[in-house]
Amino acid sequence: MRCIVCSLAISGWLLSSMGCGTSAIAIDSVGEPDAPTPIKVADAEAYKPTPLPDRVILSWTGDPSRTQAVTWRTDTTVKQGLAEIAVAGDNGVFSRSARQLTAKTTPLQSNLSNAHYHTVEFNALTPKTKYAYRVGDGLNWTEWYHFETASDQAEPFTFIYFGDAQTEVKSLWSRVIREAFTDAPKARFLLHAGDLINRANSDAEWGEWHWAGGWMNAMIPNVTTPGNHEYERVGPEKIPHLSNHWKPQFALPENGPPNLIETAYFVDFQGTRIISLNSNEKIAEQNQWLESVLASRDSSIRWTIVTMHHPIYSSAKNRDNLEIRNNWQPLFDKYKIDLVLQGHDHTYARSGLVNSTTGVTAQGDQGTVYVVSVSGPKLYDIGKPIRPEFQRVAEDTQLFQIITVDGNELRYQARTATGQPYDGFTLVKKSGEVNQLIEQVPSTPARLRAPK
């Protein structure tokens, strides 16, 4: 095995061995191709894999109270990845009792290099327990990280939701995820509603995304749903293909439709069902699966939250996702979905209680709250006139959302990139009745562009 010092000493080989290609052209969310970006020598060096693990990220494939998945990257000299885990202790003695597991290794040839991605699923864990783990190869190890398993009962928890990061991720999105962490340091997971990066198969852009999250990704699990920028259109017919990076770097539940594995799925966390829908392809084909997931909820599931990329109600001008709305909103209404978290439109818009029959509902009528948000610096116009469904909107504002589920209450706060409150509400669930929506919009003025 090559040592880390020797690995870092090798430089300049990549462009000569791979040629002067460019990264793939992705179709921008407004329908125009992004300009191709040349591979820079700096990128080749900055994002080169080595024997030392990087891009360490937690996710779930199974029950969050008893399992935890971790994925990391190395260069191809590491043929077998290892992970060690023990119940965390207040001194280093815990490491003596760590058990070791062998990773499943997946090769990935990116536009910059060849790498190995390694995944381990820790099983037979104890609910509500803090564990320490590290990953490596027996010679090169990471530090010991912590994570805590979920409760196997319905208990309060908080998570953070991000709309599109997409562009300038290292320079301008990193501050948003880090501000969010300072405001909600005990968040149990991070939810990303698609377009994590701009070009589906750009290794450097994925490197920026992992860099921005840093050690947070190794200690707070991620729930990710793909956006259109996680797809690359290839061939003369421009057929969309999921990013080559998606499955190697995210270990996600495989309980979705067979042809949409790890892009459509669900996970139950402390009495809440989180459902990821793939709004990029095979929309109608997800209906039967979605209905079965919704119909199978028992009394232990008090809240249901859906995340997907393309909004039911678009907030950007000249957009409308009619196929998605016609297929999925009737199911959201039928099964009383509480909250839908979306991206794509690079603006902020949050509805009141809405259903497909009456639109904005009167107090006392069943409805779902729909949110469109953006966390990155690429920003659009709100469609004018503003849709009647929206109670609070914003332009030219990077945001993150802190959501707390606590018994019969779901509390929501949207904050700007500097942590300033921008929007808020509480949903109150009453047995046998519809949700009560309590508006809690702060006094912050609406952030809208001056009329042209």
Side-chain angles (χ1 to χ4, degrees), residues 86-95 97 130-132 146:
V87 174
D90 292 321
N91 58 45
V93 174
F94 75 86
S95 61
S97 60
K130 183 165 287 187
Y131 286 89
H146 284 173

Side-chain angles (χ1 to χ4, degrees), residues 154-176:
E155 293 188 9
F157 68 93
T158 294
F159 70 96
I160 304 171
Y161 147 53
F162 300 100
D164 302 31
Q166 190 177 340
T167 59
E168 299 179 272
V169 172
K170 182 180 176 183
S171 61
L172 290 175
W173 181 72
S174 57
R175 69 191 185 111
V176 178

Side-chain angles (χ1 to χ4, degrees), residues 6-19 39-46 48 112:
C6 296
S7 173
L8 292 174
I10 299 172
S11 62
W13 63 272
L14 185 65
L15 293 182
S16 61
S17 64
M18 295 185 66
I39 296 173
K40 297 180 290 187
V41 174
D43 285 345
E45 279 299 301
K48 181 174 65 178
L112 293 182

Side-chain angles (χ1 to χ4, degrees), residues 260-277:
L260 292 170
I261 292 298
E262 294 188 284
T263 63
Y265 59 87
F266 73 93
V267 61
D268 292 339
F269 191 94
Q270 295 185 187
T272 297
R273 179 158 290 183
I274 314 292
I275 302 171
S276 168
L277 293 174

Side-chain angles (χ1 to χ4, degrees), residues 208-226:
E208 287 198 7
W209 189 85
H210 284 278
W211 192 315
W215 60 264
M216 287 180 282
N217 286 340
M219 295 183 67
I220 308 172
N222 281 256
V223 174
T224 56
T225 196

Side-chain angles (χ1 to χ4, degrees), residues 325-436:
R325 186 162 64 251
N326 287 345
N327 276 276
W328 294 345
Q329 191 176 21
L331 292 173
F332 295 170
D333 292 345
K334 178 180 178 180
Y335 291 98
K336 298 178 172 57
I337 300 304
D338 299 297
L339 181 63
V340 178
L341 305 176
Q342 306 149 113
H344 189 56
D345 283 345
H346 295 260
T347 54
Y348 178 77
R350 190 266 302 170
S351 77
L353 294 171
V354 179
N355 66 49
S356 57
T357 303
T358 62
V360 180
T361 69
Q363 190 65 46
D365 292 335
Q366 174 61 41
T368 298
V369 177
Y370 294 89
V371 184
V372 179
S373 194
V374 56
S375 57
K378 181 181 179 182
L379 302 164
Y380 295 164
D381 284 328
I382 287 275
K384 309 292 192 312
I386 294 171
R387 297 187 70 121
E389 293 85 3
F390 297 145
Q391 303 301 302
R392 182 68 158 165
V393 298
E395 295 171 315
D396 295 333
T397 308
Q398 293 176 254
L399 301 114
F400 61 88
Q401 290 70 222
I402 299 172
I403 300 171
T404 297
V405 177
D406 186 355
N408 290 325
E409 289 190 355
L410 184 152
R411 298 188 291 274
Y412 170 102
Q413 270 199 347
R415 300 187 183 187
T416 70
T418 57
Q420 300 303 307
Y422 187 78
D423 189 20
F425 65 84
T426 295
L427 284 177
V428 181
K429 191 174 290 290
K430 299 179 179 180
S431 179
E433 301 180 25
V434 299
N435 288 345
Q436 178 187 7

